[in-house]
Amino acid sequence: VGARAPHVWIEPGKSTLDLFGKYFVLVLSNSADINIANQFKSIAIELKIPLQILELNNPTTQAVYDRPYVLVRPDGHIAWSDFEIKKEIKQILMQVVGY
């Protein structure tokens, strides 16, 4: 947390770094649950936090983003990451934006 999010090629000519800059990005890899991602998106809308979801399904990219849930700030720094959701999603989002 606090470090810059790693660069990973998603497809030729498109990197994860290309997705950072306007929105928070929830990077999903490994065993991430899409239902949890949808909850993040729903709560982000409620809180008026711009959020995009990025699923990394390639084993090479999953090795770089070693946790299933990585929330990246618009400036490209990791705001939060974990192997599972240990507290309420709303609390996580409010904390990372300073509410």
Side-chain angles (χ1 to χ4, degrees):
V1 175
R4 297 223 12 113
H7 164 286
V8 175
W9 289 111
I10 300 170
E11 58 187 56
K14 186 174 182 181
S15 164
T16 52
L17 300 182
D18 296 329
L19 302 176
F20 309 141
K22 288 185 167 183
Y23 308 101
F24 281 85
V25 178
L26 181 62
V27 181
L28 306 176
S29 60
N30 299 323
S31 60
D33 182 343
I34 193 65
N35 293 321
I36 290 175
N38 290 334
Q39 291 175 34
F40 264 94
K41 186 70 173 174
S42 177
I43 294 169
I45 289 168
E46 173 189 328
L47 296 173
K48 296 180 176 34
I49 299 170
L51 176 74
Q52 291 183 331
I53 306 294
L54 171 62
E55 292 183 71
L56 298 178
N57 298 316
N58 179 317
T60 303
T61 59
Q62 288 180 353
V64 174
Y65 283 84
D66 64 339
R67 296 182 181 205
Y69 307 98
V70 178
L71 184 61
V72 181
R73 298 185 324 216
D75 67 0
H77 285 81
I78 297 173
W80 169 88
S81 67
D82 214 330
F83 291 97
E84 59 186 46
I85 307 303
K86 297 177 184 171
K87 57 184 173 181
E88 288 190 36
I89 293 169
K90 188 171 188 175
Q91 183 181 1
I92 293 167
L93 288 172
M94 290 177 66
Q95 182 177 351
V96 300
V97 298
Y99 283 0

PDB file of all heavy atoms in Angstrom, residues 24 38-51 71 88-99:
ATOM      1  N   PHE A  24     -10.452   5.668  -9.645  1.00  0.00           N
ATOM      2  CA  PHE A  24      -9.930   4.570  -8.850  1.00  0.00           C
ATOM      3  C   PHE A  24     -10.135   3.314  -9.697  1.00  0.00           C
ATOM      4  O   PHE A  24     -11.116   3.214 -10.439  1.00  0.00           O
ATOM      5  CB  PHE A  24     -10.700   4.425  -7.529  1.00  0.00           C
ATOM      6  CG  PHE A  24     -10.290   5.422  -6.483  1.00  0.00           C
ATOM      7  CD1 PHE A  24     -10.849   6.686  -6.454  1.00  0.00           C
ATOM      8  CD2 PHE A  24      -9.337   5.093  -5.535  1.00  0.00           C
ATOM      9  CE1 PHE A  24     -10.473   7.606  -5.499  1.00  0.00           C
ATOM     10  CE2 PHE A  24      -8.953   6.007  -4.569  1.00  0.00           C
ATOM     11  CZ  PHE A  24      -9.520   7.267  -4.556  1.00  0.00           C
ATOM     12  N   ASN A  38     -18.641  -6.162  -7.890  1.00  0.00           N
ATOM     13  CA  ASN A  38     -19.899  -5.469  -8.157  1.00  0.00           C
ATOM     14  C   ASN A  38     -20.362  -4.677  -6.936  1.00  0.00           C
ATOM     15  O   ASN A  38     -20.928  -3.594  -7.079  1.00  0.00           O
ATOM     16  CB  ASN A  38     -20.968  -6.458  -8.602  1.00  0.00           C
ATOM     17  CG  ASN A  38     -20.686  -7.021  -9.981  1.00  0.00           C
ATOM     18  OD1 ASN A  38     -20.022  -6.394 -10.798  1.00  0.00           O
ATOM     19  ND2 ASN A  38     -21.176  -8.215 -10.235  1.00  0.00           N
ATOM     20  N   GLN A  39     -20.111  -5.198  -5.738  1.00  0.00           N
ATOM     21  CA  GLN A  39     -20.448  -4.461  -4.520  1.00  0.00           C
ATOM     22  C   GLN A  39     -19.593  -3.202  -4.406  1.00  0.00           C
ATOM     23  O   GLN A  39     -20.091  -2.140  -4.043  1.00  0.00           O
ATOM     24  CB  GLN A  39     -20.249  -5.343  -3.293  1.00  0.00           C
ATOM     25  CG  GLN A  39     -21.242  -6.466  -3.171  1.00  0.00           C
ATOM     26  CD  GLN A  39     -20.912  -7.376  -1.997  1.00  0.00           C
ATOM     27  OE1 GLN A  39     -20.413  -6.926  -0.966  1.00  0.00           O
ATOM     28  NE2 GLN A  39     -21.171  -8.668  -2.163  1.00  0.00           N
ATOM     29  N   PHE A  40     -18.301  -3.322  -4.720  1.00  0.00           N
ATOM     30  CA  PHE A  40     -17.425  -2.146  -4.740  1.00  0.00           C
ATOM     31  C   PHE A  40     -17.990  -1.095  -5.692  1.00  0.00           C
ATOM     32  O   PHE A  40     -18.081   0.084  -5.349  1.00  0.00           O
ATOM     33  CB  PHE A  40     -16.008  -2.527  -5.192  1.00  0.00           C
ATOM     34  CG  PHE A  40     -15.043  -2.775  -4.074  1.00  0.00           C
ATOM     35  CD1 PHE A  40     -14.832  -4.061  -3.600  1.00  0.00           C
ATOM     36  CD2 PHE A  40     -14.326  -1.741  -3.507  1.00  0.00           C
ATOM     37  CE1 PHE A  40     -13.925  -4.310  -2.583  1.00  0.00           C
ATOM     38  CE2 PHE A  40     -13.419  -1.975  -2.493  1.00  0.00           C
ATOM     39  CZ  PHE A  40     -13.213  -3.265  -2.020  1.00  0.00           C
ATOM     40  N   LYS A  41     -18.360  -1.519  -6.887  1.00  0.00           N
ATOM     41  CA  LYS A  41     -18.867  -0.589  -7.896  1.00  0.00           C
ATOM     42  C   LYS A  41     -20.145   0.095  -7.413  1.00  0.00           C
ATOM     43  O   LYS A  41     -20.294   1.312  -7.522  1.00  0.00           O
ATOM     44  CB  LYS A  41     -19.115  -1.341  -9.211  1.00  0.00           C
ATOM     45  CG  LYS A  41     -19.505  -0.475 -10.364  1.00  0.00           C
ATOM     46  CD  LYS A  41     -18.354   0.372 -10.830  1.00  0.00           C
ATOM     47  CE  LYS A  41     -18.726   1.106 -12.110  1.00  0.00           C
ATOM     48  NZ  LYS A  41     -17.697   2.036 -12.511  1.00  0.00           N
ATOM     49  N   SER A  42     -21.057  -0.664  -6.851  1.00  0.00           N
ATOM     50  CA  SER A  42     -22.330  -0.135  -6.369  1.00  0.00           C
ATOM     51  C   SER A  42     -22.126   0.888  -5.251  1.00  0.00           C
ATOM     52  O   SER A  42     -22.720   1.968  -5.260  1.00  0.00           O
ATOM     53  CB  SER A  42     -23.209  -1.291  -5.895  1.00  0.00           C
ATOM     54  OG  SER A  42     -24.406  -0.814  -5.364  1.00  0.00           O
ATOM     55  N   ILE A  43     -21.267   0.555  -4.310  1.00  0.00           N
ATOM     56  CA  ILE A  43     -21.017   1.467  -3.191  1.00  0.00           C
ATOM     57  C   ILE A  43     -20.247   2.692  -3.665  1.00  0.00           C
ATOM     58  O   ILE A  43     -20.489   3.806  -3.194  1.00  0.00           O
ATOM     59  CB  ILE A  43     -20.309   0.730  -2.044  1.00  0.00           C
ATOM     60  CG1 ILE A  43     -21.271  -0.326  -1.464  1.00  0.00           C
ATOM     61  CG2 ILE A  43     -19.849   1.689  -0.957  1.00  0.00           C
ATOM     62  CD1 ILE A  43     -20.636  -1.306  -0.521  1.00  0.00           C
ATOM     63  N   ALA A  44     -19.340   2.520  -4.608  1.00  0.00           N
ATOM     64  CA  ALA A  44     -18.611   3.664  -5.168  1.00  0.00           C
ATOM     65  C   ALA A  44     -19.584   4.640  -5.839  1.00  0.00           C
ATOM     66  O   ALA A  44     -19.447   5.856  -5.693  1.00  0.00           O
ATOM     67  CB  ALA A  44     -17.554   3.193  -6.161  1.00  0.00           C
ATOM     68  N   ILE A  45     -20.567   4.117  -6.548  1.00  0.00           N
ATOM     69  CA  ILE A  45     -21.575   4.975  -7.172  1.00  0.00           C
ATOM     70  C   ILE A  45     -22.340   5.734  -6.092  1.00  0.00           C
ATOM     71  O   ILE A  45     -22.559   6.946  -6.201  1.00  0.00           O
ATOM     72  CB  ILE A  45     -22.521   4.143  -8.066  1.00  0.00           C
ATOM     73  CG1 ILE A  45     -21.767   3.671  -9.306  1.00  0.00           C
ATOM     74  CG2 ILE A  45     -23.767   4.946  -8.451  1.00  0.00           C
ATOM     75  CD1 ILE A  45     -22.506   2.614 -10.127  1.00  0.00           C
ATOM     76  N   GLU A  46     -22.740   5.025  -5.044  1.00  0.00           N
ATOM     77  CA  GLU A  46     -23.460   5.647  -3.930  1.00  0.00           C
ATOM     78  C   GLU A  46     -22.645   6.785  -3.313  1.00  0.00           C
ATOM     79  O   GLU A  46     -23.189   7.840  -2.980  1.00  0.00           O
ATOM     80  CB  GLU A  46     -23.755   4.577  -2.874  1.00  0.00           C
ATOM     81  CG  GLU A  46     -24.342   5.077  -1.585  1.00  0.00           C
ATOM     82  CD  GLU A  46     -24.401   3.991  -0.512  1.00  0.00           C
ATOM     83  OE1 GLU A  46     -24.583   2.801  -0.862  1.00  0.00           O
ATOM     84  OE2 GLU A  46     -24.259   4.333   0.673  1.00  0.00           O
ATOM     85  N   LEU A  47     -21.337   6.585  -3.169  1.00  0.00           N
ATOM     86  CA  LEU A  47     -20.452   7.580  -2.562  1.00  0.00           C
ATOM     87  C   LEU A  47     -19.912   8.600  -3.568  1.00  0.00           C
ATOM     88  O   LEU A  47     -19.133   9.464  -3.195  1.00  0.00           O
ATOM     89  CB  LEU A  47     -19.276   6.877  -1.866  1.00  0.00           C
ATOM     90  CG  LEU A  47     -19.627   5.981  -0.689  1.00  0.00           C
ATOM     91  CD1 LEU A  47     -18.389   5.225  -0.204  1.00  0.00           C
ATOM     92  CD2 LEU A  47     -20.232   6.796   0.448  1.00  0.00           C
ATOM     93  N   LYS A  48     -20.315   8.453  -4.828  1.00  0.00           N
ATOM     94  CA  LYS A  48     -19.848   9.329  -5.915  1.00  0.00           C
ATOM     95  C   LYS A  48     -18.326   9.287  -6.089  1.00  0.00           C
ATOM     96  O   LYS A  48     -17.665  10.290  -6.298  1.00  0.00           O
ATOM     97  CB  LYS A  48     -20.334  10.760  -5.688  1.00  0.00           C
ATOM     98  CG  LYS A  48     -21.852  10.881  -5.728  1.00  0.00           C
ATOM     99  CD  LYS A  48     -22.305  12.291  -5.509  1.00  0.00           C
ATOM    100  CE  LYS A  48     -23.773  12.526  -5.625  1.00  0.00           C
ATOM    101  NZ  LYS A  48     -24.724  11.566  -5.235  1.00  0.00           N
ATOM    102  N   ILE A  49     -17.800   8.055  -5.995  1.00  0.00           N
ATOM    103  CA  ILE A  49     -16.373   7.817  -6.220  1.00  0.00           C
ATOM    104  C   ILE A  49     -16.237   7.151  -7.578  1.00  0.00           C
ATOM    105  O   ILE A  49     -16.783   6.067  -7.793  1.00  0.00           O
ATOM    106  CB  ILE A  49     -15.795   6.884  -5.120  1.00  0.00           C
ATOM    107  CG1 ILE A  49     -15.936   7.522  -3.740  1.00  0.00           C
ATOM    108  CG2 ILE A  49     -14.332   6.549  -5.428  1.00  0.00           C
ATOM    109  CD1 ILE A  49     -15.624   6.569  -2.597  1.00  0.00           C
ATOM    110  N   PRO A  50     -15.533   7.786  -8.512  1.00  0.00           N
ATOM    111  CA  PRO A  50     -15.354   7.146  -9.822  1.00  0.00           C
ATOM    112  C   PRO A  50     -14.486   5.901  -9.695  1.00  0.00           C
ATOM    113  O   PRO A  50     -13.375   5.962  -9.181  1.00  0.00           O
ATOM    114  CB  PRO A  50     -14.679   8.233 -10.660  1.00  0.00           C
ATOM    115  CG  PRO A  50     -14.049   9.156  -9.676  1.00  0.00           C
ATOM    116  CD  PRO A  50     -14.847   9.056  -8.399  1.00  0.00           C
ATOM    117  N   LEU A  51     -15.029   4.770 -10.142  1.00  0.00           N
ATOM    118  CA  LEU A  51     -14.337   3.491  -9.979  1.00  0.00           C
ATOM    119  C   LEU A  51     -14.512   2.643 -11.226  1.00  0.00           C
ATOM    120  O   LEU A  51     -15.623   2.511 -11.745  1.00  0.00           O
ATOM    121  CB  LEU A  51     -14.901   2.734  -8.770  1.00  0.00           C
ATOM    122  CG  LEU A  51     -14.342   1.334  -8.518  1.00  0.00           C
ATOM    123  CD1 LEU A  51     -12.932   1.421  -7.946  1.00  0.00           C
ATOM    124  CD2 LEU A  51     -15.243   0.561  -7.577  1.00  0.00           C
ATOM    125  N   LEU A  71      -6.816  -1.977  -4.912  1.00  0.00           N
ATOM    126  CA  LEU A  71      -7.487  -0.719  -5.254  1.00  0.00           C
ATOM    127  C   LEU A  71      -6.420   0.331  -5.522  1.00  0.00           C
ATOM    128  O   LEU A  71      -5.610   0.650  -4.647  1.00  0.00           O
ATOM    129  CB  LEU A  71      -8.409  -0.288  -4.113  1.00  0.00           C
ATOM    130  CG  LEU A  71      -9.254   0.951  -4.353  1.00  0.00           C
ATOM    131  CD1 LEU A  71     -10.208   0.754  -5.536  1.00  0.00           C
ATOM    132  CD2 LEU A  71     -10.039   1.305  -3.090  1.00  0.00           C
ATOM    133  N   GLU A  88     -16.141  -3.822   5.991  1.00  0.00           N
ATOM    134  CA  GLU A  88     -17.157  -3.404   5.035  1.00  0.00           C
ATOM    135  C   GLU A  88     -16.537  -2.623   3.876  1.00  0.00           C
ATOM    136  O   GLU A  88     -15.648  -1.790   4.084  1.00  0.00           O
ATOM    137  CB  GLU A  88     -18.202  -2.544   5.732  1.00  0.00           C
ATOM    138  CG  GLU A  88     -19.111  -3.335   6.649  1.00  0.00           C
ATOM    139  CD  GLU A  88     -20.280  -2.508   7.124  1.00  0.00           C
ATOM    140  OE1 GLU A  88     -20.795  -1.672   6.348  1.00  0.00           O
ATOM    141  OE2 GLU A  88     -20.678  -2.708   8.279  1.00  0.00           O
ATOM    142  N   ILE A  89     -17.026  -2.890   2.705  1.00  0.00           N
ATOM    143  CA  ILE A  89     -16.522  -2.233   1.496  1.00  0.00           C
ATOM    144  C   ILE A  89     -16.703  -0.725   1.595  1.00  0.00           C
ATOM    145  O   ILE A  89     -15.816   0.041   1.209  1.00  0.00           O
ATOM    146  CB  ILE A  89     -17.203  -2.816   0.249  1.00  0.00           C
ATOM    147  CG1 ILE A  89     -16.760  -4.272   0.067  1.00  0.00           C
ATOM    148  CG2 ILE A  89     -16.907  -1.980  -0.992  1.00  0.00           C
ATOM    149  CD1 ILE A  89     -17.544  -5.050  -0.957  1.00  0.00           C
ATOM    150  N   LYS A  90     -17.828  -0.297   2.117  1.00  0.00           N
ATOM    151  CA  LYS A  90     -18.078   1.145   2.261  1.00  0.00           C
ATOM    152  C   LYS A  90     -17.003   1.780   3.138  1.00  0.00           C
ATOM    153  O   LYS A  90     -16.502   2.863   2.836  1.00  0.00           O
ATOM    154  CB  LYS A  90     -19.465   1.385   2.845  1.00  0.00           C
ATOM    155  CG  LYS A  90     -19.874   2.837   2.852  1.00  0.00           C
ATOM    156  CD  LYS A  90     -21.340   2.974   3.231  1.00  0.00           C
ATOM    157  CE  LYS A  90     -21.810   4.405   3.055  1.00  0.00           C
ATOM    158  NZ  LYS A  90     -23.260   4.513   3.299  1.00  0.00           N
ATOM    159  N   GLN A  91     -16.618   1.100   4.197  1.00  0.00           N
ATOM    160  CA  GLN A  91     -15.578   1.603   5.092  1.00  0.00           C
ATOM    161  C   GLN A  91     -14.229   1.699   4.362  1.00  0.00           C
ATOM    162  O   GLN A  91     -13.490   2.667   4.532  1.00  0.00           O
ATOM    163  CB  GLN A  91     -15.465   0.692   6.312  1.00  0.00           C
ATOM    164  CG  GLN A  91     -14.472   1.148   7.345  1.00  0.00           C
ATOM    165  CD  GLN A  91     -14.378   0.186   8.517  1.00  0.00           C
ATOM    166  OE1 GLN A  91     -15.042  -0.848   8.564  1.00  0.00           O
ATOM    167  NE2 GLN A  91     -13.523   0.498   9.474  1.00  0.00           N
ATOM    168  N   ILE A  92     -13.924   0.704   3.541  1.00  0.00           N
ATOM    169  CA  ILE A  92     -12.673   0.718   2.771  1.00  0.00           C
ATOM    170  C   ILE A  92     -12.651   1.918   1.840  1.00  0.00           C
ATOM    171  O   ILE A  92     -11.688   2.681   1.805  1.00  0.00           O
ATOM    172  CB  ILE A  92     -12.509  -0.592   1.970  1.00  0.00           C
ATOM    173  CG1 ILE A  92     -12.313  -1.785   2.907  1.00  0.00           C
ATOM    174  CG2 ILE A  92     -11.345  -0.475   0.982  1.00  0.00           C
ATOM    175  CD1 ILE A  92     -12.462  -3.138   2.238  1.00  0.00           C
ATOM    176  N   LEU A  93     -13.728   2.103   1.080  1.00  0.00           N
ATOM    177  CA  LEU A  93     -13.777   3.202   0.119  1.00  0.00           C
ATOM    178  C   LEU A  93     -13.745   4.559   0.809  1.00  0.00           C
ATOM    179  O   LEU A  93     -13.052   5.481   0.357  1.00  0.00           O
ATOM    180  CB  LEU A  93     -15.022   3.078  -0.767  1.00  0.00           C
ATOM    181  CG  LEU A  93     -14.973   1.938  -1.787  1.00  0.00           C
ATOM    182  CD1 LEU A  93     -16.327   1.772  -2.473  1.00  0.00           C
ATOM    183  CD2 LEU A  93     -13.884   2.188  -2.821  1.00  0.00           C
ATOM    184  N   MET A  94     -14.468   4.689   1.893  1.00  0.00           N
ATOM    185  CA  MET A  94     -14.465   5.976   2.616  1.00  0.00           C
ATOM    186  C   MET A  94     -13.080   6.289   3.170  1.00  0.00           C
ATOM    187  O   MET A  94     -12.632   7.439   3.142  1.00  0.00           O
ATOM    188  CB  MET A  94     -15.513   5.948   3.726  1.00  0.00           C
ATOM    189  CG  MET A  94     -16.942   5.971   3.185  1.00  0.00           C
ATOM    190  SD  MET A  94     -18.203   5.848   4.453  1.00  0.00           S
ATOM    191  CE  MET A  94     -17.970   7.382   5.326  1.00  0.00           C
ATOM    192  N   GLN A  95     -12.385   5.261   3.617  1.00  0.00           N
ATOM    193  CA  GLN A  95     -11.040   5.469   4.159  1.00  0.00           C
ATOM    194  C   GLN A  95     -10.065   5.923   3.076  1.00  0.00           C
ATOM    195  O   GLN A  95      -9.282   6.835   3.288  1.00  0.00           O
ATOM    196  CB  GLN A  95     -10.546   4.191   4.817  1.00  0.00           C
ATOM    197  CG  GLN A  95      -9.189   4.321   5.448  1.00  0.00           C
ATOM    198  CD  GLN A  95      -8.756   3.058   6.153  1.00  0.00           C
ATOM    199  OE1 GLN A  95      -9.528   2.115   6.313  1.00  0.00           O
ATOM    200  NE2 GLN A  95      -7.509   3.007   6.577  1.00  0.00           N
ATOM    201  N   VAL A  96     -10.119   5.298   1.898  1.00  0.00           N
ATOM    202  CA  VAL A  96      -9.131   5.622   0.866  1.00  0.00           C
ATOM    203  C   VAL A  96      -9.365   6.999   0.249  1.00  0.00           C
ATOM    204  O   VAL A  96      -8.423   7.592  -0.266  1.00  0.00           O
ATOM    205  CB  VAL A  96      -9.017   4.549  -0.240  1.00  0.00           C
ATOM    206  CG1 VAL A  96      -8.617   3.215   0.338  1.00  0.00           C
ATOM    207  CG2 VAL A  96     -10.273   4.437  -1.056  1.00  0.00           C
ATOM    208  N   VAL A  97     -10.589   7.516   0.326  1.00  0.00           N
ATOM    209  CA  VAL A  97     -10.836   8.861  -0.213  1.00  0.00           C
ATOM    210  C   VAL A  97     -10.844   9.919   0.864  1.00  0.00           C
ATOM    211  O   VAL A  97     -10.983  11.104   0.579  1.00  0.00           O
ATOM    212  CB  VAL A  97     -12.127   8.937  -1.060  1.00  0.00           C
ATOM    213  CG1 VAL A  97     -12.046   8.043  -2.267  1.00  0.00           C
ATOM    214  CG2 VAL A  97     -13.356   8.641  -0.235  1.00  0.00           C
ATOM    215  N   GLY A  98     -10.695   9.504   2.135  1.00  0.00           N
ATOM    216  CA  GLY A  98     -10.593  10.452   3.225  1.00  0.00           C
ATOM    217  C   GLY A  98     -11.913  10.984   3.751  1.00  0.00           C
ATOM    218  O   GLY A  98     -11.972  12.084   4.283  1.00  0.00           O
ATOM    219  N   TYR A  99     -12.992  10.208   3.610  1.00  0.00           N
ATOM    220  CA  TYR A  99     -14.291  10.625   4.174  1.00  0.00           C
ATOM    221  C   TYR A  99     -14.268  10.442   5.663  1.00  0.00           C
ATOM    222  O   TYR A  99     -13.739   9.574   6.220  1.00  0.00           O
ATOM    223  CB  TYR A  99     -15.430   9.806   3.588  1.00  0.00           C
ATOM    224  CG  TYR A  99     -15.855  10.177   2.186  1.00  0.00           C
ATOM    225  CD1 TYR A  99     -15.250  11.197   1.488  1.00  0.00           C
ATOM    226  CD2 TYR A  99     -16.869   9.490   1.567  1.00  0.00           C
ATOM    227  CE1 TYR A  99     -15.654  11.510   0.192  1.00  0.00           C
ATOM    228  CE2 TYR A  99     -17.295   9.796   0.282  1.00  0.00           C
ATOM    229  CZ  TYR A  99     -16.674  10.805  -0.399  1.00  0.00           C
ATOM    230  OH  TYR A  99     -17.066  11.111  -1.664  1.00  0.00           O
TER     231      TYR A  99
END
